[in-house]
Structure formats: C-alpha cells, structure tokens
Amino acid sequence: MHPDYAEALLHTLFTQPPIGLHVLDPDLRIVRFNVAAPGAQGLSESEAVGRSFRDLGFVADDVERMLRGVLATGESVSNFQYEGRLPRGPDGVRVLAVSAFRLQSADGRTLGVAATVVDITEQHRAQRRLELVYRAGERIGTTLDVFRTAQELAGVAVPGLADVVAVDVLDSVLHGDAPAPGPLLNQVALRRAGFQAAAPEAVRSSYEVGDVRLMRYGTPYAQSLTDLRPRLIRGLGKDEGWPTSDPVQAQMLREAGAHSFMAVPLAARGVVLGVAAFFRTKRSPPFEEADVSVAADLVARAAVCIDNARRYTREHTLARLTQRSLVPTRLPTHTAVETAYTYLPVASGGAWYDVIPLSGARVALVAGDVCGQGMGAVTTMGRLRTAVAAFAAMDLPPDELLERLHSLTEELSRDYPPVQDERWSALTATCLYIVYDPSDGSCVLSRAGHPPPVLALPDGTVRIVETPTGPVLGRGASSCTSTSVDVPEGSILALHNTGLLQGTTESRLPVYRKALGRTTGTLQDTCDALAASLLPEAPDDDALLLLVRTRALGPDKLASWTLPNAPESAAEARRLVSGRLAEWDLTDLDFSTGLIASELVTNAVRYSDGPIELRLIHDAVLTCEVVDFNNASPHLRHAEDDDEGGRGLYLVSQFTQDWGTRRTTRGKTIWTEQALH
C-alpha cells in the first residue's frame, strides 16, 4: 500500500466516529486512541495516554480479562458486548461491542492489543424491544382471568421495559360489563389488577391489587382514556401537578425515585377496559417514543386477552343465571321419599337433577351432566332435562328412557357449537335414572356413563349400587340395561356427578360411610356436610349431590286383589272398591271409583287372558290400577250415538284427573288418579 494511503487510513481511524480505535501496550495502557470514540469525547491525549481503561473508569473486570486473554493467547475476540456507564458521553447505561486482536512486530514481539469499540446501545434496545414483544405473545393471556392477565402484562414489562408497572381495569370489567365503544368521557372506578416492580423492596404500590380508586380528571390516566392515546412524560419532576392531587401516589413516586412515566389505555375492539402505567426510576434512562410504541403493543395484546376474559365472564354470568332457571330450586314433596340437595354451579356447566312424581305413588330420581361449560352446555342441559320429564310422563322403563335420550343427544350434537376444552371432543352427556316404588320397596335404575349411586341402609351399611353402565349419551351405540334392587324403608340413596368427586366413587366410599352411616340432624344437614367433605379444594366443574330417604306405603294405604278373568269380576271389583273406600272414609268417591274399576276390569276380561290384578293406593290422590297380561295399550275414542260400545275409557277419563298406561314385564298396567277432595 502506498504510504499516503496508509497514513490517510490511520488518520481516519483515529479521528472520526463511529468506530473507536484504541492501541494498548502490554500493560493495557493507552498508547493511542480515537478521540471520537464512544466515551472518549473530550479526553485529551495528555489525559488518556499512559493510562488504562480501568483508570479512566471505562470498562468492567470482564472486559479487562478478555483483553488480557487476547494478549496472552493471540486469539482475536470479535463483538464482545458489555453494558456500563461511560466516563464521558450520554447519560445512562450504554451497550458497547468490543473487538480485540494482538499486535506483533515483524520479528514476532508482542507490542500490545488493538481494540475497536462500537456503541450499539440503540440496536441493543431495539433487539430487546423485539424480544419483549415476542415474550409477551407467549406469556400474556394464558388464562381467562382478568387479574392473571393484568399481572402477566406487568411481569413481562418489568424489567425489560420499565422499573414499575401498574395495571388498572374498570371495575365493571370484572363483572363482564364494559362502557360503550369509544373514548371514556365519564368518571369511573378503577381497580388495581396487576403490579410489578423490579426492586419490590424499594418500591411499594400506592394501591394494593384489588383496591378501587376513582379516576381523577386532569391526570395522564384520564387524558389517555379520554382520547385513547398514550401519554409520555419524560421528566416527572416537582413541577408536575397531577401527582400531588393524589397524595398516596405522590408519596410512592417520591419514594421510588420515579422520573419518567407512560400512561397507555387498555382498549380492545373499541371498548375501553382500563389503563396501564409504566415508570422508570433512579438510574434508568427516560422513556423514548420507541418505548411508547412497545408499551402500546404490549398493552394491546393484554387488552384483547382481558376483553376475552370479560366476555367469558359475561357469558358465564348469563349461563349461570340461565342455569339456575333451568334446574329446580325446590324439589316437590312426595310421600315416597324425603329429598335434600346441594348444588354448586361453579363452572356454569350442564349438571342437573330432578325428582319426578310418577303414577302409582312411584317417583323418578334423576342426575345428569352435559359435557362442557357455558351457554351451550346449559341450554343443552335444559333440553335434556325437559326430555327426561317428557319420557318419564310416558312411564318408560329406565333403560328404554335412556336409549331415547341417547338418540336425542345425537340429534342435538349436530347443532352443538364446537367444544374448546380438550377433555371433550363433541356433545356428550351422562345420566342416571332411578324409579322407586314405595309399595314394594323396589328400585329400578339404569345409567349411561354416570357414576353409580351410593346406598346407605338403615342398619348403617353403606355400599355402591352395582349396576352396568351404558356408553355416555350421544356417543356410540346405546346399550343400557336396568337393574332392580330392594331398598328398605329409611334407606338413603346418594346421587352425585363427577364434579363432586376427587377420584372414583369407590375411593370416596369411606367419606360416604362416615357421613351416612350414622346420620344426625336433618337430611339437608347431612347433605351439606357430605358435599363439603367430597368437594375438591379447587373444583373446576359443577358439583351436585342429591340425597333421597325412602319411605314405604303401609297396609293402611294400599289394597290389592287378584280377580279371575271372568265377566262377573267387574261386579266383584265394584264391591271390593266400595268396601275399602268405606274403610278409608272416602265414600264420596264410591260411585266414580266403582265405575272406573268395573270399566277397566271389563276391558281386561275382554282383551286379555289370565288373572287380573286390581289395586287401590290412598296417597296424595286416589289411584286405581288394573294389571292384565295384554301388552296392547288402550286408546281413547269417541263413540258414535248408535255405537253399542267404545265408551268405557271415555267415561273413565271424565271421572279422573289423569290416567295412563305403563308396560310391565308380563303385560300392562292401566292407572287412574282422582283428587281426594
């Protein structure tokens, strides 16, 4: 290279920015340096030459170790980065990139080290901002919880963007509500939802998380919510009047040494949700316009998540209100059973229960659960509960009822919204259906994917009622079966859903034994205590417990006879009914009941073979039942004036408040009900 070029190159390297070139001797003392180098502005040669970087307060220990390593090994180092404060130059922490290589003479002697220094503070900050935004996408919005999301926003921003972050949301947001879209013009209540400080021991929150304060006019908070634009205050000095209007916050700012501030509105989909405040304290540099853009990006991400949480809360609030209107708040009183229930709709899900009076003083006990949460599960639960009540009114056997319910669930699943919870892939439900007959103490039950009931006998024995389970409703082919068990009077049946259990029914059986083995107090007291013992510490689904204490119909309330299949049995039925009604002091029903019994027995004689059973039940109503061996169900028809027959069931319907037919294992039962008064 021509000497002129070499001289020009050296002159440029040692006099012009942005690269600082330093030549150090073997003791790392400065031999020559670029006066325009980062941190060297204003240093004269007399001040710097002969002194080390450490003497000038320029580098930290790790940089000096790196230089000595280059000097000793001869291995060059490129782009060694460190953060520190420069003795001369801009205030605040700077990020420098140092590259070093060993200098040797022509004969191989070590002359020292040459180091280049480049100020990459702005590039470093830009990179950190990008990393911060990337982390925000991963860490903000992990749950549908407003407080959790607000705290995640504060945790991401500290210390990468600010030293202190406080997030306040409108108090109404926590209840699922929000103001109308657009800027916020009215004074509102703000609730502290998140707070994070880089040095918690040195900074305290002016308002604890959960505290409520009224938004003050004239503050950057109010201004940002009024026009939905961030506010940046680079110098929070004594001349700022707005902090002093809030003495509590002013004291916190003084103690923390806050000097730079940003207020960024939380808004999503045009709806104002709150405001986030960012502070820098003590030795941190003031915020810049680039920081405002990053803060706005972080807050925008959090705002969408908070609005999702708000809408989730609103939906589940509406779902919970709907849910309470679709399940019974009071169970009907029934002579066959005493009931008590505990229902905790913690998740706005599809759990339901029912006690349905049936013909012949029987009662149906129902417990069911629709998968999922929210309005879809709640409304589906209401439809299934209505269907169960309709099928029960048809006096269907438990297994047939569940098979029809299975078909209905399959139909409903076609219009069911997609399920987001990974535990469920489509609409499914479970159901337990039990029919208890107090006349003989029999209990017929069938279940589709639902936990089995627990039975506590009067002698203190507590066991699970073993019964085969069919598939859950709405999935696969229905194959439910019924099981019959004898339940003595005074026994307790416990129906529950999976939300109440932490584990299987078998694993929780000791809890049932302790609570039901020796019951004291009312049945409702027992139900509440048992539910409290079974309930998980943090339930994530609705919890249901239904307790049913059985009763029996005594001989004084029940009369039954077996009649031959002969025409004269109709007259015998009249005579028997009249005698028993006289014993029950119900002679005012003698004519109507005798007519009903004779007509039903006459039909049985005409259309069936084998003996005929006649039964009277004195309960809340007077029930008359006739059992024959013919499976065909009778139909009410209106006879013409010249017809010789066909008026029997019409007459029966005129003297009763309700009547119907149910199938039995050997035929059918025709029943009627009459009001006692």
Side-chain angles (χ1 to χ4, degrees), residues 15 30 38 50 105 156 162 188 220 225 229 232 282 317 340 448 483 516 518 573 636 645 649:
T15 59
I30 297 174
S105 64
V156 167
V188 294
L225 294 179
R229 293 186 301 166
L232 169 61
K282 297 181 180 178
T317 299
T483 301
L516 301 179
R518 296 180 180 179
L636 178 65
L649 284 181

Side-chain angles (χ1 to χ4, degrees), residues 184-268:
L184 194 63
L185 303 178
N186 300 321
Q187 198 171 33
V188 294
L190 295 172
R191 188 179 293 272
R192 178 61 48 83
F195 182 83
Q196 187 75 23
E201 68 282 355
V203 178
R204 65 179 180 86
S205 172
S206 53
Y207 297 94
E208 298 295 332
V209 172
D211 288 352
V212 179
R213 64 186 175 93
L214 198 64
M215 184 185 69
R216 299 175 183 270
Y217 289 116
T219 66
Y221 302 104
Q223 293 167 353
S224 67
L225 294 179
T226 300
D227 57 16
L228 300 184
R229 293 186 301 166
R231 289 296 189 275
L232 169 61
I233 299 177
R234 290 183 174 85
L236 255 181
K238 297 181 179 179
D239 295 336
E240 290 288 341
W242 66 267
T244 59
S245 64
D246 187 344
V248 177
Q249 188 171 36
Q251 178 65 23
M252 185 275 291
L253 295 177
R254 285 193 297 269
E255 293 177 357
H259 61 80
S260 188
F261 166 75
M262 292 187 297
V264 183
L266 274 163

